[in-house]
Amino acid sequence: MKDSPEYLQKRAFYDSLLTIYGRKPVLEALEDLSLPVHKLHLATSNRRDQLIARMEQLASERQIEVAHWDRKGLSRISKNARQDQGVALDLALPHYGTADRFLAEEQASYELLALDGITNPQNLGMIIRSACAGGIDAILLPRKGCAQIDPLVIKASTGTLFKTRILRCDSLAPTLEKFRSAGAEVCGLSSHAEETLSSVSGNKPTIFVLGNETRGVGESVARQCTRLVRIPMQNNVESLNVAVTAALISFRHQL
Amino acid sequence: MKDSPEYLQKRAFYDSLLTIYGRKPVLEALEDLSLPVHKLHLATSNRRDQLIARMEQLASERQIEVAHWDRKGLSRISKNARQDQGVALDLALPHYGTADRFLAEEQASYELLALDGITNPQNLGMIIRSACAGGIDAILLPRKGCAQIDPLVIKASTGTLFKTRILRCDSLAPTLEKFRSAGAEVCGLSSHAEETLSSVSGNKPTIFVLGNETRGVGESVARQCTRLVRIPMQNNVESLNVAVTAALISFRHQL
């Protein structure tokens, strides 16, 4: 029953899981009692060394379920066989979901940030922190081309990740197309744009697309933008840090 | 003649000099043709190795004066005998000066950022970049308690350091007292303040004081503030990155 309430609830729970991997990140997450951990995954091929023993001990103390998999099974979970080191961990983030679910559910107006090619974890964490403080409704974070949420990002977000709605999608351009079809204004930030940020009325659902620091918004993503806007800058400065741009957008109604 | 035009002009030139030190920073600065280098200082005690030879060669190619000093003379120039490695370099920054000179000269209204305990070079560079783009008139940077301008900061400022007026002083609190006596509003940023940033009219000369990320504005500096203000934040976020705060202040009239 694909649309039974039980199925949908279960589905929503699994969408809220963030899987991290690698021995150091997983151990750090297990040691951080503020992190909502769901399940520890271990490959049966792991040599049972001190680190693995410590993980099992922490999982036992925290009453976290431990699942054992063969090497192939584990890499299906980590989705990164080359870097998982036989270890993965599911975090159950309360405000973590998918763009598709958001589109299916959301009716009222909203303001989102969409990230295109933000590869620096420090910047990603700072964007989340600024957007959360400024009251952005959610951040659209594609799996392709962006830094993924890992302990570095969580740290740089100074814990705000757990208060921020994060919407996952595979690739940004087709997802923006769906939002556009649903009536959203899609504003790409570009220092070459003629219009400025203040020209965006915010009268309808709006997505601001932030591009890579060096290359800006990518071509296929730019094609999905309904308009391009820039932040007016003085002294011939050419660009701002992307987390600063995120903050100026997020706070612009409140200063 | 302490107030002859020649003396004042010479004085202004020497105030605009920024001295960096250490073999790697100095070599990098010499290799960067965009940096306005004034003079290379070498200790006569230096072993004449490849690095020193390369510096001398670059100085010769760029027609930069080279001065030789005994160890003690060099440390008087670098002001950091422990870390200068026998090498110092004067950069002649066009917009680099002293708070005292600014106070003596400036008549019209202005908006400054003053930095108290900003120790992270990355943050200092980002603050300069955001303030420059947002049109802040100058940044008040004390020698005590803050990161100093070095090649890391220059890099993080993405070159905007050379377009930004930087006012040096020894210690921040007594300098703020002088500005206050001259009629400036001194606003300390504090997340515990009752008033918000939007309550600052900007009708008179205003200095915004940004404190250390962890400890905030220090006690002696807070005593020099005519008021404390906060940036209103949503989702119970407690603080923003200091460079983001600098950007929100700098851009608040333009968004």
Side-chain angles (χ1 to χ4, degrees):
Chain A
M1 298 293 276
K2 267 217 152 190
D3 46 5
S4 73
E6 293 76 17
Y7 173 84
L8 289 175
Q9 208 179 346
K10 209 170 159 182
R11 186 65 215 268
F13 175 76
Y14 282 105
D15 281 348
S16 82
L17 292 182
L18 167 70
T19 303
I20 65 173
Y21 50 79
R23 296 188 171 210
K24 191 157 180 285
V26 166
L27 184 59
E28 280 179 4
L30 282 168
E31 283 172 338
D32 184 343
L33 299 181
S34 74
L35 291 189
V37 172
H38 172 60
K39 200 189 276 192
L40 173 63
H41 302 275
L42 298 173
T44 49
S45 59
N46 286 333
R47 199 162 48 85
R48 215 178 155 288
D49 59 11
Q50 269 197 318
L51 236 69
I52 297 288
R54 174 85 181 124
M55 287 179 204
E56 288 180 331
Q57 186 200 347
L58 282 165
S60 158
E61 283 170 18
R62 295 185 63 176
Q63 300 185 285
I64 293 161
E65 188 183 344
V66 183
H68 294 88
W69 307 87
D70 63 15
R71 198 66 204 74
K72 215 168 155 187
L74 191 97
S75 61
R76 264 198 303 273
I77 286 166
S78 73
K79 297 195 180 74
N80 193 332
R82 275 170 53 188
Q83 291 178 36
D84 65 27
Q85 302 174 298
V87 172
L89 189 75
D90 295 329
L91 301 177
L93 301 188
H95 305 297
Y96 199 76
T98 65
D100 285 341
R101 177 177 307 281
F102 181 89
L103 268 170
E105 288 175 5
E106 202 72 18
Q107 303 299 329
S109 197
Y110 52 81
E111 208 165 276
L112 310 184
L113 296 184
L115 308 186
D116 178 37
I118 307 297
T119 53
N120 180 321
Q122 195 72 30
N123 278 341
L124 177 54
M126 274 177 61
I127 289 171
I128 293 169
R129 182 178 178 188
S130 298
C132 183
I136 279 286
D137 295 297
I139 294 174
L140 189 51
L141 179 65
R143 283 186 192 83
K144 282 186 194 146
C146 276
Q148 295 307 300
I149 290 171
D150 64 16
L152 259 182
V153 173
I154 296 172
K155 198 174 167 211
S157 85
T158 64
T160 57
L161 173 68
F162 304 116
K163 305 175 173 181
T164 310
R165 192 157 182 186
I166 306 280
L167 308 179
R168 309 310 313 271
C169 65
D170 280 323
S171 184
L172 190 56
T175 305
L176 289 178
E177 193 170 14
K178 290 184 199 167
F179 274 95
R180 235 177 60 168
S181 304
E185 181 93 273
V186 180
C187 303
L189 269 288
S190 161
S191 51
H192 309 298
E194 289 188 15
E195 288 186 294
T196 64
L197 178 60
S198 60
S199 70
V200 180
S201 68
N203 289 340
K204 56 175 178 171
T206 306
I207 304 179
F208 293 97
V209 186
L210 300 175
N212 174 279
E213 284 228 49
T214 311
R215 299 182 308 275
V217 172
E219 218 176 296
S220 67
V221 168
R223 271 197 295 273
Q224 298 303 331
C225 293
T226 52
R227 61 204 288 187
L228 295 177
V229 296
R230 66 182 165 84
I231 291 175
M233 285 184 272
Q234 302 195 29
N235 297 310
N236 295 315
V237 177
E238 284 169 21
S239 69
L240 291 166
N241 172 283
V242 66
V244 164
T245 303
L248 295 177
I249 293 169
S250 307
F251 277 91
R252 74 191 196 288
H253 299 307
Q254 304 164 54
L255 292 177
Chain B
M1 297 295 275
K2 265 219 152 189
D3 46 3
S4 73
E6 292 77 16
Y7 173 84
L8 290 174
Q9 207 179 349
K10 209 169 159 183
R11 185 66 214 267
F13 175 75
Y14 281 105
D15 281 348
S16 82
L17 292 183
L18 167 71
T19 304
I20 65 173
Y21 50 79
R23 295 188 173 210
K24 192 159 179 285
V26 167
L27 184 59
E28 280 179 5
L30 282 169
E31 282 171 339
D32 184 343
L33 298 182
S34 73
L35 291 189
V37 173
H38 171 60
K39 199 190 277 193
L40 172 64
H41 303 276
L42 298 173
T44 48
S45 59
N46 287 332
R47 199 163 49 83
R48 215 176 155 290
D49 59 10
Q50 268 196 320
L51 237 67
I52 297 288
R54 174 85 180 124
M55 287 178 204
E56 288 179 331
Q57 186 199 347
L58 283 164
S60 156
E61 283 170 20
R62 295 184 63 177
Q63 299 185 284
I64 292 161
E65 187 183 344
V66 183
H68 294 88
W69 308 86
D70 63 15
R71 200 64 204 74
K72 216 169 154 187
L74 191 96
S75 60
R76 263 198 304 273
I77 286 166
S78 73
K79 297 195 181 75
N80 194 332
R82 276 170 53 188
Q83 291 179 36
D84 66 26
Q85 302 174 299
V87 173
L89 189 74
D90 296 328
L91 301 178
L93 301 188
H95 304 296
Y96 199 75
T98 66
D100 285 340
R101 176 177 307 281
F102 182 87
L103 268 169
E105 288 175 5
E106 202 72 17
Q107 304 299 330
S109 198
Y110 53 80
E111 209 166 276
L112 310 185
L113 296 184
L115 308 187
D116 178 36
I118 307 298
T119 54
N120 180 322
Q122 195 71 30
N123 278 340
L124 177 54
M126 274 176 63
I127 289 171
I128 293 169
R129 182 178 177 187
S130 298
C132 183
I136 280 287
D137 295 297
I139 295 174
L140 188 51
L141 179 67
R143 283 184 192 83
K144 282 186 192 146
C146 275
Q148 295 307 303
I149 290 171
D150 64 16
L152 258 181
V153 173
I154 296 172
K155 198 173 168 211
S157 85
T158 62
T160 56
L161 173 68
F162 305 116
K163 303 175 174 182
T164 310
R165 191 156 183 188
I166 306 280
L167 307 179
R168 308 310 313 270
C169 64
D170 280 324
S171 183
L172 190 57
T175 305
L176 289 178
E177 195 171 11
K178 289 183 201 168
F179 274 95
R180 233 175 62 168
S181 304
E185 181 93 273
V186 181
C187 302
L189 269 288
S190 161
S191 51
H192 308 298
E194 289 188 16
E195 289 186 293
T196 63
L197 178 61
S198 60
S199 70
V200 180
S201 69
N203 289 341
K204 56 176 178 170
T206 305
I207 303 180
F208 293 97
V209 186
L210 300 176
N212 175 278
E213 284 230 47
T214 310
R215 297 182 309 274
V217 172
E219 219 176 295
S220 66
V221 167
R223 271 198 295 274
Q224 299 303 331
C225 292
T226 52
R227 61 205 289 187
L228 296 177
V229 296
R230 65 182 167 82
I231 291 175
M233 285 184 272
Q234 302 196 30
N235 297 310
N236 295 314
V237 177
E238 284 169 20
S239 69
L240 291 167
N241 172 284
V242 66
V244 164
T245 303
L248 295 177
I249 293 169
S250 309
F251 278 91
R252 75 190 195 288
H253 300 308
Q254 305 165 52
L255 293 176

